[in-house]
Amino acid sequence: MFKHIIEDHLDIRILELRHAEQLFDLVSCNQDYLAEWLPWVKGNNTIDHTKGFIEAALQKFANNDGIDCGVFFNDRIAGCISLHRLDWLNKKTSIGYWLDESLQGKGIMTKACRAMINYSFHDLQLNRIEIRAGVNNLKSRTIPERLGFDLEGTIRKAEWVNNRYIHHVVYGLLKEDWKNE
């Protein structure tokens, strides 16, 4: 299965059913924090929901239509990073991610995103990557800004999250502009 070592104690791995309990526990511990920006969190209230997500993610990977990975820090799942959908016709994708609140500020997700960008541009030969974030989700927005994405615009009322609409900012990065810092 897919595994990419980023550095000592940090790697990304495709999610497998054996990760379900650990992933469910992590989401449960971070539920209030994550629910502010992610609409699926409140519906993830049993281990079966998590298993269903992983099974669907494995099918998506088998169909060559995306990849959902765990971000592992010190061999424990710390969050997730995904290529949502692979648009092979237009050679583009989008990246989504979340991280355990207690591990933020250590550069973990920036490094995981850098690895996923390299994989997308070099291994998959894609040409464009987008990252979308809530306008007020400043922690999430710093990652594409740090990695050299261009702020391309705002989509108003893009998503219903936590009983309200949130606007999304859209960041884009082209293969020709990627400096792999």
Side-chain angles (χ1 to χ4, degrees):
M1 288 301 220
F2 178 89
K3 179 178 179 177
H4 177 78
I5 298 170
I6 298 169
E7 61 186 29
D8 286 344
H9 310 294
L10 181 61
D11 61 82
I12 55 177
R13 306 174 204 165
I14 193 161
L15 290 170
E16 299 176 48
L17 283 173
R18 65 190 173 100
H19 301 128
E21 187 174 339
Q22 198 178 137
L23 181 60
F24 176 75
D25 290 345
L26 183 64
V27 171
S28 296
C29 289
N30 283 271
Q31 187 171 34
D32 291 337
Y33 172 73
L34 295 173
E36 185 175 358
W37 302 112
L38 300 172
W40 55 265
V41 173
K42 295 284 185 182
N44 190 52
N45 49 21
T46 70
I47 190 80
D48 288 335
H49 287 112
T50 303
K51 287 178 181 177
F53 165 72
I54 293 172
E55 288 170 344
L58 288 169
Q59 187 61 53
K60 181 171 69 171
F61 182 69
N63 293 341
N64 204 22
D65 193 33
I67 186 169
D68 294 281
C69 293
V71 177
F72 287 80
F73 183 68
N74 292 327
D75 217 29
R76 298 276 308 157
I77 195 161
C80 288
I81 187 166
S82 302
L83 298 181
H84 289 133
R85 179 179 170 269
L86 296 171
D87 180 343
W88 292 108
L89 178 65
N90 296 299
K91 296 186 180 260
K92 67 180 183 174
T93 192
S94 64
I95 296 176
Y97 47 82
W98 62 268
L99 186 67
D100 180 353
E101 185 177 19
S102 71
L103 293 173
Q104 293 185 358
K106 300 177 184 304
I108 293 169
M109 195 53 72
T110 299
K111 292 172 186 173
C113 280
R114 183 178 287 116
M116 197 61 88
I117 292 165
N118 284 328
Y119 173 72
S120 297
F121 286 151
H122 300 296
D123 294 15
L124 301 179
Q125 293 296 304
L126 298 179
N127 186 59
R128 176 181 170 77
I129 299 171
E130 287 184 4
I131 293 178
R132 295 182 182 202
V135 168
N136 295 318
N137 189 347
L138 302 180
K139 289 180 181 179
S140 186
R141 291 182 61 179
T142 60
I143 293 170
E145 291 169 0
R146 189 177 298 127
L147 292 170
F149 281 69
D150 289 328
L151 177 59
E152 295 181 335
T154 302
I155 301 172
R156 298 179 306 144
K157 293 187 176 182
E159 191 171 33
W160 181 255
V161 180
N162 206 13
N163 297 315
R164 74 200 192 291
Y165 283 108
I166 62 169
H167 303 324
H168 281 180
V169 288
V170 179
Y171 293 92
L173 180 66
L174 301 178
K175 184 177 185 177
E176 64 203 49
D177 297 330
W178 177 235
K179 295 175 179 52
N180 189 19
E181 301 145 359

